[in-house]
Amino acid sequence: MHAPTHLDIEPAIHYWGTPVVLVGTRNPDGSANLAPMSSAWWLGWSCMLGLDASSQTTENLRRTGQCVLNLADAGMVAAVDRLALLTGSAAVPIHKQMLGYRHEADKFSTAGLTAQAAVDVDAPRVRECQVQLEASVVDMRPFAAQDPRMPVAACMVELRLSRVHVAPELLHPSDGQRIDPDRWRPLIMSFRQFHSVGPRLQASKLAEAPEAFYAPWRRTRRSAAAGTCV
């Protein structure tokens, strides 16, 4: 493999490619808010979001402590794009005004999406999303407050997932508890452009171990049911 020649640069943004999440929250008047974002990552049943500190989503999370992370697939790109320059904040922050944002109270209708009730939290799911993750806030704090390159105030939000809703067509045929990565085509945001993933490149050594290894609580649950210790 050819080793590239590298240049030192200072890019304005670092959107190297992350999944698009439609964050469903509840506004103070009880209406549904829906916000697209892509600064998200998961570890176990926990998730970290990076959000604009002035956004309506951030305010709703701080007030209610609840949300649904609706993961958009590649087929939803047009609906997501219709949400791109909308904000649930009645007073549009100046930096969003400069980017062309406008206030929209009914984002679901504008995007052509359908709100669906959650089970564990008071926040909207998106019926059209193949993956819907109900979650509660564990921690919120300022993010990159000491970074002189951060253009606006930001915060990080740690979430704990409580329930996972998945379209049956995404499940591995041999295991109804496992996502088949060859069937999941997430919508990816890379440097502000929409992308997705292609076919598998090659088999992964990491995937040789059973996925059940990452779910020790299931083994504990089965042992408890059988009356044995682990």
Side-chain angles (χ1 to χ4, degrees):
M1 182 175 63
H2 174 69
T5 300
H6 296 85
L7 299 175
D8 291 342
I9 67 170
E10 287 191 338
I13 56 177
H14 285 272
Y15 280 98
W16 296 100
T18 48
V20 172
V21 182
L22 302 181
V23 184
T25 56
R26 193 68 64 186
N27 292 319
D29 64 0
S31 61
N33 188 56
L34 189 64
M37 57 85 67
S38 58
S39 296
W41 59 273
W42 288 261
L43 191 61
W45 275 58
S46 294
C47 177
M48 187 69 77
L49 304 182
L51 295 170
D52 183 333
S54 68
S55 74
Q56 186 65 47
T57 295
T58 303
E59 178 185 323
N60 290 346
L61 286 170
R62 187 175 291 114
R63 190 187 70 260
T64 69
Q66 299 179 333
C67 69
V68 177
L69 307 178
N70 302 280
L71 306 191
D73 63 76
M76 296 183 63
V77 60
V80 172
D81 202 37
R82 287 192 288 269
L83 291 168
L85 294 178
L86 304 180
T87 175
S89 300
V92 182
I94 185 64
H95 65 279
K96 288 190 174 181
Q97 292 180 34
M98 295 171 64
L99 291 170
Y101 278 73
R102 65 176 177 83
H103 169 63
E104 174 55 61
D106 190 356
K107 293 184 180 180
F108 273 91
S109 293
T110 302
L113 298 173
T114 311
Q116 185 178 18
V119 178
D120 295 332
V121 301
D122 182 19
R125 293 190 280 161
V126 177
R127 184 179 296 276
E128 291 78 6
C129 285
Q130 292 180 301
V131 181
Q132 308 159 333
L133 311 175
E134 300 189 28
S136 297
V137 174
V138 173
D139 192 19
M140 293 182 71
R141 61 183 67 191
F143 178 74
Q146 307 303 316
D147 183 356
R149 291 187 175 92
M150 180 62 72
V152 298
C155 70
M156 55 184 178
V157 183
E158 180 185 347
L159 301 169
R160 182 165 296 126
L161 307 182
S162 62
R163 191 176 294 266
V164 177
H165 308 272
V166 175
E169 56 266 28
L170 294 185
L171 297 177
H172 196 282
S174 66
D175 185 348
Q177 297 295 316
R178 184 158 63 98
I179 302 296
D180 187 341
D182 291 323
R183 300 183 178 195
W184 171 229
R185 291 292 179 265
L187 183 61
I188 301 293
M189 178 65 72
S190 178
F191 289 93
R192 303 188 301 160
Q193 298 295 335
F194 292 116
H195 296 268
S196 188
V197 297
R200 187 189 306 188
L201 299 178
Q202 68 174 47
S204 165
K205 286 184 171 56
L206 182 64
E208 292 175 359
E211 194 169 306
F213 175 82
Y214 297 95
W217 69 89
R218 291 186 192 163
R219 295 194 295 274
T220 302
R221 191 182 301 149
R222 286 196 294 269
S223 298
T228 61
C229 297
V230 293

